[in-house]
Amino acid sequence: MWLSFGRKVNLQSNLGPTEDTISAFEEIAESATNTNEAIVNPQPRSGSTWRKVAPSISLLGWLILASKALQFAFTAIPPKLLDPAWQLNVISGLLDAGFPLLIGLLLMSVSRLMDRDDRHIAKGAGFARSLASALAIILVLSIPVQLYLGQKLLKTSNTPLFEQIATLNTISKGVQAAKNEQELRLFLANLPEPQPLPEKLDKPFKDVKEIILTNASSRINAIKTEIEKRHSQSTQTFITEFIRNLLLSLILATAFSVIPRLTSSRRPNMLSALLLFIAKLPV
């Protein structure tokens, strides 16, 4: 009854949505839709500093790669494909250039993480992946090759000294076979390096033969001592160099094998994820 004395209330109008409420809900829904699209398909920031420096970093990687490749090529000139020393020198040159090559390829790959839209950077990163994989395989395969070449070089390093011993043994046999002074003179005169006797011997023939044989024997013993000394030094040097090259080859091969995974289309590893996170930071 008291309602009749108060203000009338339109219950139907209060229960239904107003035009302002509907408009507000539409704006909220549109905003949420735009937010979801931005999350799913993020648009690159055209003014990002990382995108601006990506081409320069890729170019720097190319320059480092080209300079070290040129330097390595000059170490292999002139080519001596059958010379173990030349082959070992080429492998050592590759190992010495390994770290700068790694830096160059890494820069080319990192620039791809900074800008995934540039086609030139993408091609450079693809080349970096292929070259890094090839270098990793080459470095691993070079380990047994270095061992084989080193042993071969040790065996042939004293070849001139062994040839001198063979020559002295031939002289000793020829001197022993000489029965008189005339035969001795003829034999010595027909050697590859003639050793003529004086026109007149100041000692008996037998004494002259004994002196020649004694000198040849002393020379042979001295050469054998020199061979043992050189072999010991060469072996120690080879072992030291092989251990160094072995460790360096394994380290570089492992590092090169990581580069193809940085820009791989598969699930990124921790390193590439970290670099990608840094590349997305606003600067």
Coordinates of all heavy atoms in Angstrom, one line a residue, residues 92 95-96 139 243-253:
S92 N 97.5 -27.9 -39.5 CA 97.9 -26.9 -38.5 C 97.3 -25.5 -38.8 O 96.8 -24.8 -37.9 CB 99.4 -26.9 -38.3 OG 99.9 -28.1 -37.8
L95 N 93.7 -25.5 -38.0 CA 93.4 -25.4 -36.5 C 93.7 -23.9 -36.0 O 93.0 -23.4 -35.2 CB 94.3 -26.4 -35.8 CG 94.0 -27.8 -36.0 CD1 95.0 -28.7 -35.3 CD2 92.6 -28.1 -35.5
D96 N 94.8 -23.3 -36.6 CA 95.1 -21.9 -36.2 C 94.0 -21.0 -36.6 O 93.8 -20.0 -35.9 CB 96.4 -21.5 -36.8 CG 97.6 -22.3 -36.2 OD1 97.5 -22.8 -35.1 OD2 98.7 -22.4 -36.9
L139 N 87.4 -31.7 -39.0 CA 88.3 -31.7 -37.8 C 88.3 -33.0 -37.1 O 89.4 -33.4 -36.6 CB 87.8 -30.5 -36.8 CG 88.1 -29.1 -37.3 CD1 87.4 -28.1 -36.4 CD2 89.6 -28.8 -37.4
I243 N 99.0 -34.1 -29.1 CA 98.1 -33.9 -28.0 C 97.4 -32.5 -28.1 O 96.2 -32.4 -27.9 CB 98.8 -34.0 -26.7 CG1 99.3 -35.5 -26.5 CG2 97.9 -33.6 -25.5 CD1 100.1 -35.7 -25.3
R244 N 98.2 -31.5 -28.4 CA 97.7 -30.1 -28.6 C 96.6 -30.1 -29.7 O 95.5 -29.6 -29.5 CB 98.8 -29.2 -28.9 CG 98.3 -27.8 -29.4 CD 99.4 -27.0 -29.9 NE 99.0 -25.7 -30.6 CZ 98.6 -25.6 -31.8 NH1 98.7 -26.7 -32.6 NH2 98.2 -24.5 -32.3
N245 N 97.0 -30.7 -30.9 CA 96.0 -30.6 -32.0 C 94.8 -31.5 -31.7 O 93.7 -31.2 -32.2 CB 96.8 -31.1 -33.3 CG 97.8 -30.1 -33.7 OD1 97.8 -29.0 -33.3 ND2 98.7 -30.6 -34.6
L246 N 95.0 -32.6 -31.0 CA 93.9 -33.5 -30.7 C 92.8 -32.7 -29.9 O 91.6 -32.7 -30.2 CB 94.4 -34.7 -29.9 CG 93.3 -35.6 -29.3 CD1 92.4 -36.2 -30.4 CD2 93.9 -36.7 -28.4
L247 N 93.3 -32.1 -28.8 CA 92.4 -31.3 -27.9 C 91.7 -30.2 -28.7 O 90.5 -29.9 -28.6 CB 93.1 -30.8 -26.7 CG 93.7 -31.9 -25.8 CD1 94.4 -31.3 -24.6 CD2 92.5 -32.8 -25.2
L248 N 92.6 -29.5 -29.5 CA 92.0 -28.3 -30.2 C 91.0 -28.8 -31.3 O 90.0 -28.1 -31.5 CB 93.2 -27.6 -30.8 CG 92.9 -26.2 -31.5 CD1 92.3 -25.3 -30.4 CD2 94.1 -25.6 -32.1
S249 N 91.3 -29.9 -31.9 CA 90.3 -30.4 -32.9 C 89.0 -30.8 -32.3 O 87.9 -30.4 -32.8 CB 90.9 -31.6 -33.6 OG 92.1 -31.3 -34.3
L250 N 89.0 -31.4 -31.1 CA 87.8 -31.8 -30.5 C 87.0 -30.6 -30.0 O 85.8 -30.5 -30.1 CB 88.1 -32.7 -29.3 CG 88.7 -34.1 -29.6 CD1 89.0 -34.9 -28.4 CD2 87.7 -34.9 -30.5
I251 N 87.7 -29.6 -29.4 CA 87.0 -28.4 -28.9 C 86.4 -27.6 -30.1 O 85.2 -27.2 -30.0 CB 88.0 -27.5 -28.2 CG1 88.5 -28.2 -26.9 CG2 87.4 -26.1 -27.9 CD1 89.6 -27.4 -26.1
L252 N 87.2 -27.4 -31.2 CA 86.6 -26.7 -32.3 C 85.5 -27.5 -33.0 O 84.5 -26.9 -33.4 CB 87.7 -26.4 -33.3 CG 88.8 -25.3 -32.9 CD1 89.9 -25.2 -33.9 CD2 88.1 -24.0 -32.7
A253 N 85.6 -28.8 -33.1 CA 84.6 -29.6 -33.8 C 83.3 -29.5 -33.0 O 82.2 -29.4 -33.5 CB 85.0 -31.0 -33.9

